[in-house]
Amino acid sequence: MSEERVELKEEGTGGEKAGLSLDQVKKEASKPDLEGLVPGASLAGISPSPSPEASGLLSLPWEMVTHIASHLPAHCVINVLPKVCCALRNVDKDRTAWQVRARRLVGPRATFPVGPKEDFDWSTACLEMEQLITSWTGQVHLLDRQTQVDEEERERGRERRREPVADQQEDGADDVIDEGGVAVQEVANGADGRMGVVLEGEDGDLQPAEGGDQLARLREELEERRDDNAEALLGGERDHRVVYDDDDDDAHQDLNRQEDFANPRLQGDGRNVVVQQCQPPRSPSPPPAMECTTLPSSHIAQVNTVLLVGDGGKICATGSRDWNVKLWDLQADCASMLLHTLGAQGHFSTHLGWVWCLASEGPLLASGGFDSTVRLWDLQACGAERGLIRAGAAVLCLSFQRDVLLAGTFDKRVSMYDTRAAEPLVKSLRHHGNAVMCLAADDKYIISGSQDCTVAVYDRRADKGFSKLRLSSYLLSMSYSDSEIWGGDNKGMLHSFSMRAGVFKSLSEFDVGHTALVTGIHRSPGCLYTCSSDRTVKVHIPCGPPKTLCTLRHQGGVSGLSVNAGVLAVASGDTCVEIWRPRK
């Protein structure tokens, strides 16, 4: 007689299947991993007694049923099992089972959650963590391979540069190579040995350093031989590489020393021109469960802020240094994604200065800018203007709650506005000694971070400030949910705080690998996203310390991110906005 077996699939980072007999299941169920779990999370009141008439799975003790359910995907336990039969309706109410699942996902050495465990939403946290792991873990191997290839290419480029330098030094040449500066100067010897050009690393423009006449003659010679791509070659576009083959002299120099991007290269004495199509700068390949879309270039200056609005993140709002706010339909095809460029009638732009921050509540979208105004827009009326608030100073951060709009400004204030009133200003708070850089709030508290390296908490019900912490750095971004506050500072570090029973305290400080300003952060019970001006976006499990699942690398500094229903919007580089969403 064959032994009955139950096939289980463990939803961790490994995702391996294991066949367990009923005896093994009973043995495992008798050894629950309860270390570090919240006390009092008993099964009393939700554990139905097995019916004498029941058979199969329902005849097992309730502890074994919940143990088996812990090996099913979280979305199955929450959404499917309650529909199977009435007896399984309470499986998702077992807090101990969710805690065991969370421990398995984060690992035995990590602390989860970092903040208070009382009233923590364990089922939502496990659901989000499993979705995060499924969506982003596959990206790691692709990025590792990409990073290895890029490092090998850069190493080969460095080797090619070192060889000609050594040869020229033996010949007594006066070539100069600045290894450490941003503006890198390299001299490429021409036919007469006197022509030289210099490359400014910031903008990629080629400018004559000496021998201007010879450079002009070289350009004339190139123009005579050029093909359809010659203009792009001489203009230094990134998508091509120019190679000068030297038949008589082995010494040749690369002019472009920027190691992070695929840029033009110039070698040799320039007598034979070979055009090689170069691969464009490569962005991270989408993971199996995610796809990446880049919004069509419409802004003409750097995008400072991005916000996903609506159900499921179907609409994206972007704010730029070109003074405009644009709305995008993420469900439309590429040619028709742009819905509106917001602006009052008769105005040529949304604001009269840089747009720095966005916030939304219901149908209203608020935009704050360096023109010292907050402007309100109705998303249900094609972005029609619904109000103008004069803040008195540059608006650096916004937080939109159901009954109040909060604005942090350069003049050290946090202002509270009632958007329904003719005179919207309700109260102006001044708890800081420098510009207010970030805000987070709920119906009880307002938390603000300032460039004076302080974090202040204002009690809305008591109408007074009751707590203030001083840090060694200042926060630029903040996310607040479920009694936990996470912030990113100007040194690349993450900070966690707790707000419980009217007590605000600092919990931990984490180094997740960012090397510059943390410009954006989003935290929910089971996921953590961060971005930085170091050109990276990181996806983590929000445990202590955070477990980084994926790092996305970009060509320029990342100025902001927004997350809604598993959709990630990233403002990266100059005018680029990337949308990462689950693959259909």
Side-chain angles (χ1 to χ4, degrees):
M1 183 175 179
S2 61
E3 184 181 28
E4 183 181 358
R5 302 181 70 83
V6 181
E7 293 293 331
L8 303 178
K9 181 177 180 181
E10 183 164 341
E11 285 293 314
T13 56
E16 298 178 353
K17 291 185 178 180
L20 300 180
S21 67
L22 288 179
D23 291 339
Q24 291 172 320
V25 170
K26 294 177 181 178
K27 184 177 180 180
E28 290 293 328
S30 65
K31 301 185 303 181
D33 180 10
L34 300 179
E35 182 181 357
L37 303 184
V38 178
S42 67
L43 302 176
I46 65 171
S47 305
S49 301
S51 172
E53 295 81 11
S55 61
L57 183 66
L58 297 181
S59 66
L60 298 175
W62 183 252
E63 290 81 359
M64 295 178 60
V65 174
T66 58
H67 180 78
I68 293 173
S70 70
H71 291 272
L72 296 174
H75 74 87
C76 179
V77 176
I78 296 172
N79 301 318
V80 178
L81 289 187
K83 300 177 182 179
V84 173
C85 66
C86 296
L88 299 178
R89 188 171 298 170
N90 291 323
V91 172
D92 63 334
K93 304 296 192 300
D94 188 347
R95 284 172 54 87
T96 301
W98 288 117
Q99 293 176 58
V100 172
R101 182 190 293 259
R103 175 64 59 87
R104 188 170 65 244
L105 291 171
V106 304
R109 298 183 179 181
T111 302
F112 185 81
V114 175
K117 293 181 172 60
E118 296 80 4
D119 299 327
F120 184 73
D121 192 346
W122 290 95
S123 59
T124 299
C126 291
L127 176 63
E128 291 183 353
M129 282 192 289
E130 290 183 3
Q131 292 174 341
L132 202 70
I133 292 170
T134 301
S135 298
W136 292 102
T137 307
Q139 181 81 340
V140 175
H141 305 294
L142 297 175
L143 291 179
D144 287 343
R145 290 198 298 269
Q146 179 68 52
T147 302
Q148 182 178 359
V149 170
D150 292 343
E151 288 294 337
E152 292 175 355
E153 291 179 354
R154 286 196 286 267
E155 183 61 30
R156 286 195 293 268
R158 285 192 288 265
E159 290 295 334
R160 286 196 299 268
R161 286 192 294 270
R162 282 196 290 266
E163 292 174 1
V165 170
D167 294 340
Q168 291 171 7
Q169 288 176 345
E170 292 176 0
D171 296 337
D174 296 330
D175 300 341
V176 177
I177 298 179
D178 183 359
E179 292 287 351
V182 175
V184 181
Q185 176 174 322
E186 295 182 348
V187 176
N189 293 324
D192 58 3
R194 293 179 296 166
M195 187 276 292
V197 293
V198 63
L199 172 68
E200 295 295 334
E202 285 292 324
D203 52 19
D205 293 336
L206 292 175
Q207 300 178 357
E210 59 179 354
D213 294 339
Q214 289 79 3
L215 180 59
R217 288 197 298 272
L218 174 61
R219 287 182 173 175
E220 292 176 0
E221 182 180 355
L222 291 174
E223 289 176 357
E224 294 175 357
R225 306 173 190 166
R226 71 182 180 178
D227 58 9
D228 293 338
N229 293 325
E231 181 178 355
L233 297 175
L234 293 178
E237 293 187 359
R238 294 178 178 175
D239 292 343
H240 297 82
R241 177 168 55 194
V242 186
V243 181
Y244 291 83
D245 293 334
D246 187 358
D247 295 335
D248 302 326
D249 186 0
D250 292 335
H252 55 276
Q253 293 281 339
D254 288 343
L255 288 182
N256 194 333
R257 298 298 308 282
Q258 296 183 0
E259 297 180 355
D260 292 333
F261 309 104
N263 285 311
R265 297 175 184 264
L266 185 62
Q267 298 178 343
D269 63 3
R271 290 186 294 176
N272 297 322
V273 180
V274 179
V275 180
Q276 297 180 349
Q277 186 70 27
C278 199
Q279 293 293 331
R282 287 172 295 188
S283 61
S285 300
M290 301 292 286
E291 61 181 3
C292 179
T293 302
T294 300
L295 297 184
S297 180
S298 179
H299 288 291
I300 60 174
Q302 179 175 334
V303 178
N304 288 326
T305 179
V306 61
L307 180 67
L308 293 171
V309 296
D311 296 334
K314 298 177 182 178
I315 303 296
C316 180
T318 56
S320 168
R321 296 188 183 188
D322 64 7
W323 303 6
N324 284 317
V325 176
K326 296 180 181 290
L327 296 181
W328 307 83
D329 183 359
L330 301 185
Q331 294 186 316
D333 54 35
C334 186
S336 56
M337 275 188 167
L338 180 60
L339 291 175
H340 310 287
T341 298
L342 302 182
Q345 188 173 4
H347 290 73
F348 69 91
S349 63
T350 310
H351 282 260
L352 299 179
W354 288 359
V355 181
W356 201 253
C357 49
L358 297 168
S360 68
E361 174 63 28
L364 286 182
L365 173 70
S367 59
F370 274 30
D371 59 355
S372 303
T373 66
V374 178
R375 299 174 188 262
L376 302 175
W377 314 94
D378 191 342
L379 299 178
Q380 293 181 344
C382 300
E385 187 176 26
R386 285 293 179 260
L388 171 64
I389 299 173
R390 301 192 181 278
V395 182
L396 304 181
C397 51
L398 292 170
S399 179
F400 215 152
Q401 303 302 307
R402 182 178 54 84
D403 58 340
V404 67
L405 172 64
L406 306 170
T409 51
F410 184 76
D411 62 355
K412 314 170 189 178
R413 299 178 185 271
V414 175
S415 299
M416 305 170 62
Y417 299 101
D418 183 350
T419 58
R420 302 163 296 183
E423 295 295 331
L425 181 62
V426 175
K427 183 182 289 291
S428 186
L429 311 174
R430 187 163 180 171
H431 300 306
H432 299 286
N434 210 326
V436 179
M437 306 299 293
C438 55
L439 278 172
D442 61 9
D443 59 344
K444 299 178 182 178
Y445 304 105
I446 299 173
I447 304 103
S448 56
S450 169
Q451 201 169 4
D452 66 359
C453 299
T454 63
V455 179
V457 180
Y458 175 79
D459 190 331
R460 295 181 59 186
R461 295 170 298 181
D463 194 22
K464 65 178 182 180
F466 77 94
S467 184
K468 192 173 184 179
L469 296 178
R470 179 167 295 277
L471 308 176
S472 60
S473 55
Y474 64 87
L475 302 183
L476 290 100
S477 53
M478 187 181 294
S479 181
Y480 175 31
S481 65
D482 298 320
S483 303
E484 282 188 38
I485 301 99
W486 286 67
D489 70 15
N490 61 313
K491 297 180 180 179
M493 303 294 290
L494 302 186
H495 300 257
S496 63
F497 310 87
S498 70
M499 174 66 70
R500 183 69 180 173
V503 178
F504 178 68
K505 64 179 181 179
S506 177
L507 296 176
S508 302
E509 180 177 329
F510 303 112
D511 183 356
V512 296
H514 287 305
T515 58
L517 313 175
V518 179
T519 53
I521 186 169
H522 171 87
R523 181 263 172 192
S524 63
C527 64
L528 176 65
Y529 297 82
T530 58
C531 66
S532 170
S533 58
D534 65 3
R535 306 177 180 180
T536 64
V537 176
K538 293 179 179 289
V539 183
H540 323 264
I541 292 177
C543 53
K547 183 177 180 180
T548 303
L549 299 177
C550 176
T551 298
L552 305 176
R553 303 185 186 279
H554 297 81
Q555 294 182 4
V558 182
S559 54
L561 60 77
S562 178
V563 180
N564 188 335
V567 180
L568 169 66
V570 178
S572 62
D574 294 327
T575 62
C576 177
V577 176
E578 290 181 353
I579 307 297
W580 293 83
R581 50 191 167 184
R583 189 180 300 275
K584 296 180 180 179

